[in-house]
PDB file of all heavy atoms in Angstrom:
ATOM      1  N   SER X 497     123.564  98.921 127.669  1.00  0.00           N
ATOM      2  CA  SER X 497     123.585  97.487 128.031  1.00  0.00           C
ATOM      3  C   SER X 497     122.646  96.778 127.122  1.00  0.00           C
ATOM      4  O   SER X 497     122.692  95.407 127.092  1.00  0.00           O
ATOM      5  CB  SER X 497     123.192  97.222 129.546  1.00  0.00           C
ATOM      6  OG  SER X 497     121.912  97.740 129.641  1.00  0.00           O
ATOM      7  N   GLY X 498     121.921  97.447 126.208  1.00  0.00           N
ATOM      8  CA  GLY X 498     121.118  96.795 125.213  1.00  0.00           C
ATOM      9  C   GLY X 498     119.633  96.864 125.467  1.00  0.00           C
ATOM     10  O   GLY X 498     119.118  97.941 125.919  1.00  0.00           O
ATOM     11  N   ILE X 499     118.877  95.871 125.119  1.00  0.00           N
ATOM     12  CA  ILE X 499     117.422  95.883 125.199  1.00  0.00           C
ATOM     13  C   ILE X 499     116.999  95.792 126.692  1.00  0.00           C
ATOM     14  O   ILE X 499     117.533  95.194 127.559  1.00  0.00           O
ATOM     15  CB  ILE X 499     116.836  94.697 124.464  1.00  0.00           C
ATOM     16  CG1 ILE X 499     117.277  94.602 123.053  1.00  0.00           C
ATOM     17  CG2 ILE X 499     115.346  94.638 124.618  1.00  0.00           C
ATOM     18  CD1 ILE X 499     116.696  95.721 122.222  1.00  0.00           C
ATOM     19  N   ASN X 500     115.869  96.677 127.057  1.00  0.00           N
ATOM     20  CA  ASN X 500     115.288  96.570 128.233  1.00  0.00           C
ATOM     21  C   ASN X 500     114.430  95.409 128.396  1.00  0.00           C
ATOM     22  O   ASN X 500     113.301  95.264 127.812  1.00  0.00           O
ATOM     23  CB  ASN X 500     114.414  97.785 128.539  1.00  0.00           C
ATOM     24  CG  ASN X 500     113.916  97.940 129.936  1.00  0.00           C
ATOM     25  OD1 ASN X 500     113.543  96.874 130.572  1.00  0.00           O
ATOM     26  ND2 ASN X 500     113.941  99.067 130.503  1.00  0.00           N
ATOM     27  N   LEU X 501     114.904  94.291 129.020  1.00  0.00           N
ATOM     28  CA  LEU X 501     114.192  92.971 129.037  1.00  0.00           C
ATOM     29  C   LEU X 501     112.982  93.047 129.967  1.00  0.00           C
ATOM     30  O   LEU X 501     112.035  92.242 129.758  1.00  0.00           O
ATOM     31  CB  LEU X 501     115.107  91.895 129.480  1.00  0.00           C
ATOM     32  CG  LEU X 501     116.438  91.701 128.601  1.00  0.00           C
ATOM     33  CD1 LEU X 501     117.228  90.517 129.114  1.00  0.00           C
ATOM     34  CD2 LEU X 501     115.988  91.387 127.165  1.00  0.00           C
ATOM     35  N   ASP X 502     113.007  93.994 130.927  1.00  0.00           N
ATOM     36  CA  ASP X 502     111.773  94.136 131.659  1.00  0.00           C
ATOM     37  C   ASP X 502     110.657  94.679 130.825  1.00  0.00           C
ATOM     38  O   ASP X 502     109.416  94.210 130.963  1.00  0.00           O
ATOM     39  CB  ASP X 502     112.029  95.153 132.845  1.00  0.00           C
ATOM     40  CG  ASP X 502     112.846  94.498 133.955  1.00  0.00           C
ATOM     41  OD1 ASP X 502     112.962  93.295 134.020  1.00  0.00           O
ATOM     42  OD2 ASP X 502     113.423  95.404 134.684  1.00  0.00           O
ATOM     43  N   ASP X 503     110.990  95.526 129.909  1.00  0.00           N
ATOM     44  CA  ASP X 503     109.954  96.008 128.965  1.00  0.00           C
ATOM     45  C   ASP X 503     109.426  94.931 128.042  1.00  0.00           C
ATOM     46  O   ASP X 503     108.341  94.765 127.797  1.00  0.00           O
ATOM     47  CB  ASP X 503     110.523  97.168 128.116  1.00  0.00           C
ATOM     48  CG  ASP X 503     109.511  97.872 127.254  1.00  0.00           C
ATOM     49  OD1 ASP X 503     108.324  97.896 127.696  1.00  0.00           O
ATOM     50  OD2 ASP X 503     109.813  98.420 126.218  1.00  0.00           O
ATOM     51  N   ALA X 504     110.379  93.960 127.682  1.00  0.00           N
ATOM     52  CA  ALA X 504     109.997  92.907 126.793  1.00  0.00           C
ATOM     53  C   ALA X 504     109.041  91.933 127.592  1.00  0.00           C
ATOM     54  O   ALA X 504     108.109  91.449 127.033  1.00  0.00           O
ATOM     55  CB  ALA X 504     111.256  92.155 126.466  1.00  0.00           C
ATOM     56  N   GLU X 505     109.327  91.765 128.795  1.00  0.00           N
ATOM     57  CA  GLU X 505     108.475  90.876 129.749  1.00  0.00           C
ATOM     58  C   GLU X 505     107.058  91.464 129.889  1.00  0.00           C
ATOM     59  O   GLU X 505     106.100  90.744 129.809  1.00  0.00           O
ATOM     60  CB  GLU X 505     109.182  90.590 130.968  1.00  0.00           C
ATOM     61  CG  GLU X 505     108.242  89.784 132.094  1.00  0.00           C
ATOM     62  CD  GLU X 505     107.904  88.471 131.551  1.00  0.00           C
ATOM     63  OE1 GLU X 505     108.552  87.822 130.545  1.00  0.00           O
ATOM     64  OE2 GLU X 505     106.875  87.913 132.026  1.00  0.00           O
ATOM     65  N   HIS X 506     107.049  92.806 130.075  1.00  0.00           N
ATOM     66  CA  HIS X 506     105.771  93.424 130.182  1.00  0.00           C
ATOM     67  C   HIS X 506     104.925  93.294 128.883  1.00  0.00           C
ATOM     68  O   HIS X 506     103.709  93.106 128.961  1.00  0.00           O
ATOM     69  CB  HIS X 506     105.918  94.914 130.570  1.00  0.00           C
ATOM     70  CG  HIS X 506     106.476  95.161 131.890  1.00  0.00           C
ATOM     71  ND1 HIS X 506     107.243  96.258 132.237  1.00  0.00           N
ATOM     72  CD2 HIS X 506     106.405  94.437 132.998  1.00  0.00           C
ATOM     73  CE1 HIS X 506     107.622  96.227 133.484  1.00  0.00           C
ATOM     74  NE2 HIS X 506     107.115  95.163 133.961  1.00  0.00           N
ATOM     75  N   ALA X 507     105.698  93.382 127.812  1.00  0.00           N
ATOM     76  CA  ALA X 507     104.905  93.225 126.517  1.00  0.00           C
ATOM     77  C   ALA X 507     104.447  91.800 126.360  1.00  0.00           C
ATOM     78  O   ALA X 507     103.328  91.587 125.849  1.00  0.00           O
ATOM     79  CB  ALA X 507     105.915  93.601 125.376  1.00  0.00           C
TER      80      ALA X 507
END
Side-chain angles (χ1 to χ4, degrees):
S497 62
I499 301 296
N500 186 321
L501 299 183
D502 288 338
D503 190 26
E505 176 57 23
H506 292 153

